[in-house]
mmCIF file with all atom_site columns, all heavy atoms in Angstrom:
data_model
loop_
_atom_site.group_PDB
_atom_site.id
_atom_site.type_symbol
_atom_site.label_atom_id
_atom_site.label_alt_id
_atom_site.label_comp_id
_atom_site.label_asym_id
_atom_site.label_entity_id
_atom_site.label_seq_id
_atom_site.pdbx_PDB_ins_code
_atom_site.Cartn_x
_atom_site.Cartn_y
_atom_site.Cartn_z
_atom_site.occupancy
_atom_site.B_iso_or_equiv
_atom_site.pdbx_formal_charge
_atom_site.auth_seq_id
_atom_site.auth_comp_id
_atom_site.auth_asym_id
_atom_site.auth_atom_id
_atom_site.pdbx_PDB_model_num
ATOM 1  N N   . GLY D 1 346 ? 10.100 34.476 18.510 1.00 85.00 ? 382 GLY D N   1
ATOM 2  C CA  . GLY D 1 346 ? 9.744  35.900 18.359 1.00 85.00 ? 382 GLY D CA  1
ATOM 3  C C   . GLY D 1 346 ? 8.344  36.197 17.916 1.00 85.00 ? 382 GLY D C   1
ATOM 4  O O   . GLY D 1 346 ? 8.120  37.187 17.250 1.00 85.00 ? 382 GLY D O   1
ATOM 5  N N   . LEU D 1 347 ? 7.467  35.204 18.183 1.00 84.00 ? 383 LEU D N   1
ATOM 6  C CA  . LEU D 1 347 ? 6.069  35.393 17.641 1.00 84.00 ? 383 LEU D CA  1
ATOM 7  C C   . LEU D 1 347 ? 5.335  36.477 18.440 1.00 84.00 ? 383 LEU D C   1
ATOM 8  O O   . LEU D 1 347 ? 4.388  37.084 17.862 1.00 84.00 ? 383 LEU D O   1
ATOM 9  C CB  . LEU D 1 347 ? 5.349  34.024 17.666 1.00 84.00 ? 383 LEU D CB  1
ATOM 10 C CG  . LEU D 1 347 ? 5.904  32.972 16.666 1.00 84.00 ? 383 LEU D CG  1
ATOM 11 C CD1 . LEU D 1 347 ? 5.326  31.690 16.969 1.00 84.00 ? 383 LEU D CD1 1
ATOM 12 C CD2 . LEU D 1 347 ? 5.606  33.547 15.207 1.00 84.00 ? 383 LEU D CD2 1
ATOM 13 N N   . GLU D 1 348 ? 5.661  36.732 19.649 1.00 71.00 ? 384 GLU D N   1
ATOM 14 C CA  . GLU D 1 348 ? 4.911  37.747 20.370 1.00 71.00 ? 384 GLU D CA  1
ATOM 15 C C   . GLU D 1 348 ? 5.217  39.105 19.750 1.00 71.00 ? 384 GLU D C   1
ATOM 16 O O   . GLU D 1 348 ? 4.274  39.891 19.556 1.00 71.00 ? 384 GLU D O   1
ATOM 17 C CB  . GLU D 1 348 ? 5.397  37.765 21.864 1.00 71.00 ? 384 GLU D CB  1
ATOM 18 C CG  . GLU D 1 348 ? 5.067  36.449 22.616 1.00 71.00 ? 384 GLU D CG  1
ATOM 19 C CD  . GLU D 1 348 ? 6.084  35.397 22.130 1.00 71.00 ? 384 GLU D CD  1
ATOM 20 O OE1 . GLU D 1 348 ? 7.116  35.777 21.617 1.00 71.00 ? 384 GLU D OE1 1
ATOM 21 O OE2 . GLU D 1 348 ? 5.789  34.267 22.398 1.00 71.00 ? 384 GLU D OE2 1
ATOM 22 N N   . SER D 1 349 ? 6.410  39.421 19.480 1.00 59.00 ? 385 SER D N   1
ATOM 23 C CA  . SER D 1 349 ? 6.734  40.785 18.883 1.00 59.00 ? 385 SER D CA  1
ATOM 24 C C   . SER D 1 349 ? 6.089  40.811 17.433 1.00 59.00 ? 385 SER D C   1
ATOM 25 O O   . SER D 1 349 ? 5.630  41.934 17.035 1.00 59.00 ? 385 SER D O   1
ATOM 26 C CB  . SER D 1 349 ? 8.298  40.926 18.734 1.00 59.00 ? 385 SER D CB  1
ATOM 27 O OG  . SER D 1 349 ? 8.817  39.932 17.958 1.00 59.00 ? 385 SER D OG  1
ATOM 28 N N   . ALA D 1 350 ? 5.947  39.739 16.792 1.00 55.00 ? 386 ALA D N   1
ATOM 29 C CA  . ALA D 1 350 ? 5.275  39.757 15.478 1.00 55.00 ? 386 ALA D CA  1
ATOM 30 C C   . ALA D 1 350 ? 3.825  40.164 15.747 1.00 55.00 ? 386 ALA D C   1
ATOM 31 O O   . ALA D 1 350 ? 3.244  40.963 15.018 1.00 55.00 ? 386 ALA D O   1
ATOM 32 C CB  . ALA D 1 350 ? 5.346  38.441 14.727 1.00 55.00 ? 386 ALA D CB  1
ATOM 33 N N   . ASP D 1 351 ? 3.278  39.542 16.801 1.00 60.00 ? 387 ASP D N   1
ATOM 34 C CA  . ASP D 1 351 ? 1.833  39.903 17.075 1.00 60.00 ? 387 ASP D CA  1
ATOM 35 C C   . ASP D 1 351 ? 1.663  41.374 17.345 1.00 60.00 ? 387 ASP D C   1
ATOM 36 O O   . ASP D 1 351 ? 0.691  42.082 16.947 1.00 60.00 ? 387 ASP D O   1
ATOM 37 C CB  . ASP D 1 351 ? 1.285  39.044 18.205 1.00 60.00 ? 387 ASP D CB  1
ATOM 38 C CG  . ASP D 1 351 ? 1.108  37.594 17.807 1.00 60.00 ? 387 ASP D CG  1
ATOM 39 O OD1 . ASP D 1 351 ? 1.108  37.355 16.547 1.00 60.00 ? 387 ASP D OD1 1
ATOM 40 O OD2 . ASP D 1 351 ? 0.824  36.767 18.597 1.00 60.00 ? 387 ASP D OD2 1
ATOM 41 N N   . ALA D 1 352 ? 2.563  41.876 18.138 1.00 55.00 ? 388 ALA D N   1
ATOM 42 C CA  . ALA D 1 352 ? 2.535  43.300 18.521 1.00 55.00 ? 388 ALA D CA  1
ATOM 43 C C   . ALA D 1 352 ? 2.647  44.156 17.321 1.00 55.00 ? 388 ALA D C   1
ATOM 44 O O   . ALA D 1 352 ? 1.853  45.124 17.235 1.00 55.00 ? 388 ALA D O   1
ATOM 45 C CB  . ALA D 1 352 ? 3.733  43.574 19.531 1.00 55.00 ? 388 ALA D CB  1
ATOM 46 N N   . ALA D 1 353 ? 3.529  43.812 16.473 1.00 52.00 ? 389 ALA D N   1
ATOM 47 C CA  . ALA D 1 353 ? 3.646  44.571 15.191 1.00 52.00 ? 389 ALA D CA  1
ATOM 48 C C   . ALA D 1 353 ? 2.299  44.597 14.452 1.00 52.00 ? 389 ALA D C   1
ATOM 49 O O   . ALA D 1 353 ? 1.853  45.625 14.039 1.00 52.00 ? 389 ALA D O   1
ATOM 50 C CB  . ALA D 1 353 ? 4.759  44.055 14.377 1.00 52.00 ? 389 ALA D CB  1
ATOM 51 N N   . LEU D 1 354 ? 1.637  43.418 14.475 1.00 55.00 ? 390 LEU D N   1
ATOM 52 C CA  . LEU D 1 354 ? 0.396  43.351 13.695 1.00 55.00 ? 390 LEU D CA  1
ATOM 53 C C   . LEU D 1 354 ? -0.715 44.198 14.384 1.00 55.00 ? 390 LEU D C   1
ATOM 54 O O   . LEU D 1 354 ? -1.614 44.647 13.648 1.00 55.00 ? 390 LEU D O   1
ATOM 55 C CB  . LEU D 1 354 ? -0.110 41.938 13.596 1.00 55.00 ? 390 LEU D CB  1
ATOM 56 C CG  . LEU D 1 354 ? 0.862  40.984 12.746 1.00 55.00 ? 390 LEU D CG  1
ATOM 57 C CD1 . LEU D 1 354 ? 0.326  39.600 12.735 1.00 55.00 ? 390 LEU D CD1 1
ATOM 58 C CD2 . LEU D 1 354 ? 0.920  41.460 11.246 1.00 55.00 ? 390 LEU D CD2 1
ATOM 59 N N   . SER D 1 355 ? -0.595 44.270 15.700 1.00 52.00 ? 391 SER D N   1
ATOM 60 C CA  . SER D 1 355 ? -1.734 45.037 16.318 1.00 52.00 ? 391 SER D CA  1
ATOM 61 C C   . SER D 1 355 ? -1.840 46.506 15.933 1.00 52.00 ? 391 SER D C   1
ATOM 62 O O   . SER D 1 355 ? -2.798 47.141 16.132 1.00 52.00 ? 391 SER D O   1
ATOM 63 C CB  . SER D 1 355 ? -1.542 44.959 17.833 1.00 52.00 ? 391 SER D CB  1
ATOM 64 O OG  . SER D 1 355 ? -0.530 45.742 18.261 1.00 52.00 ? 391 SER D OG  1
#
Side-chain angles (χ1 to χ4, degrees):
Chain D
L383 291 168
E384 299 74 17
S385 57
D387 289 347
L390 292 179
S391 69

